[in-house]
Amino acid sequence: MFFGHISQVDKKQYPDAINIALDFLARTDFDQLEAGRYPIVGEHIYAQVLDLETQEKTTILPEVHRRYIDVQYLHAGFERIGVTPDLGTNKIAKDYDADRDILFYQNMENEVELIMRPGNFAVFFPSDIHRPACLDGQSTKIRKVVVKIEVGELGV
C-alpha cells in the first residue's frame, strides 16, 4: 500500500503504471467530469469517478481485488478508509465475483484507518484489504476517483 498527496508525488518512488494513474489524477479537472468510467489505457488502466456518501464502517464490507490495483483519490469531502494486509484469516462475506473483480470479507483483523482529505491518494494492491467511504465524524458527500490498474501493467 502507498499513501500520499497528489501535490507531492515523487515519480521515482512508483512503477510506471502507477505514475500514469497519478498523472491522470493530477491533470484532470474532476469538477468538470460526470460520474462514470473513463479509459486511460483501454481496459488495462481506467478511472471511475464516483459520487458517494460516507457511512458507518460497520455498514461497509471490507473488500479486496485480485486482477486490479486500486489507486483511490479523494477529490472532495472527508473520508476514512480502513486497511490491513490480507493474511487469509478473515471470513468471506461474498465470494469472489470475477466480473467485478471483488471479494468481500465479513470484517478484517487489525484494521487501521487512513484519514483522507482532498488530494490524498492510496494505492491498494491485491494483498491489501480495504474498507472505503467510511465516515469521518459525520456522514458527508464525497467525490472520489478510483483508477484501476491491471496487475500485469506493473511489469513485475
Side-chain angles (χ1 to χ4, degrees):
M1 184 200 80
F2 297 128
F3 178 73
H5 194 278
I6 201 68
S7 68
Q8 297 179 337
V9 173
D10 180 357
K11 291 187 174 196
K12 294 178 292 207
Q13 294 179 348
Y14 303 105
D16 290 343
I18 292 174
N19 279 322
I20 289 169
L22 294 173
D23 285 344
F24 174 82
L25 295 170
R27 70 178 180 354
T28 304
D29 182 355
F30 294 108
D31 292 325
Q32 301 303 315
L33 286 184
E34 297 287 325
R37 185 174 169 148
Y38 297 89
I40 300 171
V41 180
E43 290 298 303
H44 301 288
I45 303 175
Y46 64 91
Q48 298 171 315
V49 177
L50 306 167
D51 292 321
L52 305 169
E53 190 159 328
T54 59
Q55 301 174 32
E56 290 279 349
K57 81 178 195 176
T58 57
T59 67
I60 300 171
L61 292 174
E63 63 188 59
V64 69
H65 310 288
R66 300 297 182 222
R67 292 189 347 254
Y68 284 89
I69 295 162
D70 273 7
V71 180
Q72 295 200 13
Y73 170 74
L74 187 64
H75 177 68
F78 302 99
E79 169 191 31
R80 287 181 181 247
I81 299 176
V83 64
T84 195
D86 189 355
L87 302 177
T89 57
N90 296 291
K91 292 183 181 176
I92 294 173
K94 295 181 185 176
D95 288 331
Y96 179 70
D97 181 335
D99 292 335
R100 294 183 56 214
D101 183 39
I102 196 164
L103 178 143
F104 290 103
Y105 288 111
Q106 291 177 15
N107 211 331
M108 58 178 158
E109 296 175 354
N110 304 313
E111 179 177 5
V112 297
E113 293 181 344
L114 300 176
I115 298 171
M116 303 287 286
R117 296 296 182 258
N120 282 131
F121 67 87
V123 181
F124 300 111
F125 294 89
S127 59
D128 299 317
I129 303 171
H130 50 285
R131 185 191 320 247
C134 296
L135 62 83
D136 184 24
Q138 63 187 32
S139 184
T140 184
K141 293 184 185 304
I142 61 172
R143 173 159 268 214
K144 71 184 301 179
V145 182
V146 180
V147 178
K148 306 292 270 184
I149 302 171
E150 201 170 48
V151 171
E153 291 297 303
L154 289 183
V156 290

